[in-house]
Amino acid sequence: MAVGVDLGGTQLRVAVLRGATLLSRVGLLTGEDATPERLIPRICDAIRQALAEARVELGQVAGIGLGAPGPLNSQSGIIYSPPNLPGWENVPIRDILQKEFPVPIYIENDAHCAALGEYMFGAGRGSEDMVYMTVSTGIGGGIICKGRLLEGAGGTAGELGHMTIDLHGPRCNCGNIGCLEAIASGTAIARRANEAIAAGQGAELLAFARSLDEQTARQLHLPAGTEKESIERVNARTVGEAARAGIALARQILGEAARGLGVGLVNVIHIFNPRKIILGGGVMQLGDLILGPALDIVEQRAMKAPRSIVSIELAQLGPNVGLIGAGTLIYYHG
């Protein structure tokens, strides 16, 4: 058995696992004040609670794996300065946890963890050369080469979302211009929709968003209000629903994002020559609206030899991929 810890900017989840099977699961919000001083004690409490709910003693688990937003160094166990965890500057999280839990502890970039989880227990099983890409609020990735995770000199390899797709494209939060993340992520899709609405081109999309029933509006954070408030809150899921309803602007926006994703996939195929590319994350739940045009670009632009080898598939582990991936660190290093 293993303990998996999935640390995100808004949620903390902990589970006791046997392989990909969750024996217990504890979830909580990180809260607005998620400084290390406040959050690390909560991580420790959540680990103890997960063990208790699984009726497992610490000595019965092979170790603790923690997946966290990068940048981080998996070898030193230090989290540097993740954008969505303010105040986490050079935090030696592994050493801190080691004092509380005397078992092997490993930390890794959350996208790397997801890649390992899919490799061992999901869509990547049996494929020693694979790439995992998560397309969600941002875009991240992990590369498995000959059965080993490609980490790079400083542990930051696999930042697939920050390959340049458009030399003159939008500026990304990372500081680069034209990143895949700035073109094909959920954040990018929402930004393009809001820009179009603000420019007076999205009346039909805005009307569709306002027509969503009250329950859906709450889920999408689209409370009734002024036009300005609605503009600011249209998100990628809204665009996806509008595209399914046949709204032309929504389909155009998703088509552009999908083609950007396709170019990114072509780059991944040419650089890594993988047997499989596994696609996960919330944006991929849009299905053929995003996957179809992306695969068309792959067919048109990728060189025949590596294209004929690769299989592009959707991830299998669903919303628990972060937890399963974190627990997988124990099996991977063991």
Side-chain angles (χ1 to χ4, degrees), residues 192-210:
R192 290 185 64 84
N194 292 329
E195 288 172 350
I197 292 170
Q201 301 168 357
E204 189 178 11
L205 175 58
L206 184 59
F208 176 86
R210 287 175 169 170

Side-chain angles (χ1 to χ4, degrees), residues 275-290:
R275 179 72 62 182
K276 283 187 178 182
I277 299 176
I278 310 300
L279 298 173
V283 171
M284 298 315 303
Q285 294 177 13
L286 296 174
D288 281 343
L289 286 172
I290 197 87

Side-chain angles (χ1 to χ4, degrees), residues 12-212:
L12 165 68
R13 300 184 301 163
V14 180
V16 176
L17 306 104
R18 180 180 284 112
T21 302
L22 275 64
L23 305 181
S24 66
R25 185 182 183 278
V26 175
L28 53 91
L29 298 176
T30 56
E32 294 184 4
D33 188 7
T35 61
E37 295 76 16
R38 288 182 174 271
L39 191 52
I40 291 175
R42 299 179 74 200
I43 294 173
C44 295
D45 289 344
I47 292 173
R48 296 186 184 99
Q49 183 180 345
L51 289 167
E53 290 186 4
R55 299 182 179 180
V56 170
E57 300 290 335
L58 180 64
Q60 294 177 272
V61 300
I64 298 171
L66 183 144
L72 57 78
N73 189 313
S74 60
Q75 297 180 1
S76 66
I78 294 174
I79 297 178
Y80 293 131
S81 53
N84 56 353
L85 285 176
W88 286 66
E89 301 285 341
N90 299 319
V91 178
I93 183 67
R94 185 179 63 197
D95 290 346
I96 294 171
L97 293 178
Q98 196 75 72
K99 294 177 181 178
E100 298 289 329
F101 305 100
V103 295
I105 296 176
Y106 301 96
I107 76 164
E108 188 55 82
N109 175 291
D110 48 10
H112 289 187
C113 287
L116 285 172
E118 288 288 344
Y119 168 61
M120 287 194 173
F121 299 110
R125 283 175 294 180
S127 181
E128 291 198 333
D129 293 281
M130 58 153 275
V131 174
Y132 172 82
M133 183 185 293
T134 176
V135 187
S136 189
T137 303
I139 295 178
I143 297 103
I144 306 293
C145 182
K146 302 305 178 189
R148 303 302 297 175
L149 183 66
L150 182 65
E151 298 191 69
T156 63
E159 289 289 353
L160 302 180
H162 300 291
M163 69 174 89
T164 300
I165 297 297
D166 184 349
L167 183 63
H168 304 290
R171 184 171 293 278
C172 182
N173 287 336
C174 75
N176 191 16
I177 290 173
C179 288
L180 177 60
E181 183 171 300
I183 293 170
S185 68
T187 302
I189 291 168
R191 186 195 70 244
R192 290 185 64 84
N194 292 329
E195 288 172 350
I197 292 170
Q201 301 168 357
E204 189 178 11
L205 175 58
L206 184 59
F208 176 86
R210 287 175 169 170
S211 72
L212 296 172

